[in-house]
Amino acid sequence: PGGIRRSLFKLERGVCQACKLDCHALVQQLQQISKDTPGWQAQRRAVVAHRAPAFLARGCTAYLDKLLDQVRLAQGVVLGCYC
């Protein structure tokens, strides 16, 4: 399964084929906001609101909270944008 994910990432480069959201760039931008930064959750939420407003409009609060808290790139898998 990991090899398939890496191959898919090489092909798509972390960009959702359905909505064209660059999930890789989104995760990289979120990673730049350290949890040590005052107001880090609000800052990360603002990044998601700016780059992926449709994601917030869907009301995926549990997934959003997990994304904001545990933002990471793992084995070429970025995140499901649930478009």
Side-chain angles (χ1 to χ4, degrees), residues 11 14 19 27-28 33 38 43 47 51 62 66 70-71 73-74 76:
L11 178 67
C19 70
V27 169
Q28 286 183 320
I33 303 169
Q43 290 178 33
V47 168
R51 287 185 151 259
K66 183 176 179 178
Q70 301 173 8
V71 62
L73 296 169

Side-chain angles (χ1 to χ4, degrees), residues 33-67:
I33 303 169
S34 169
K35 287 186 175 182
D36 296 332
T37 305
W40 64 271
Q41 287 178 316
Q43 290 178 33
R44 286 183 177 181
R45 189 176 299 271
V47 168
V48 173
H50 175 72
R51 287 185 151 259
F55 181 82
L56 291 181
R58 278 187 220 58
C60 304
T61 55
Y63 189 73
L64 175 64
D65 291 342
K66 183 176 179 178
L67 171 65

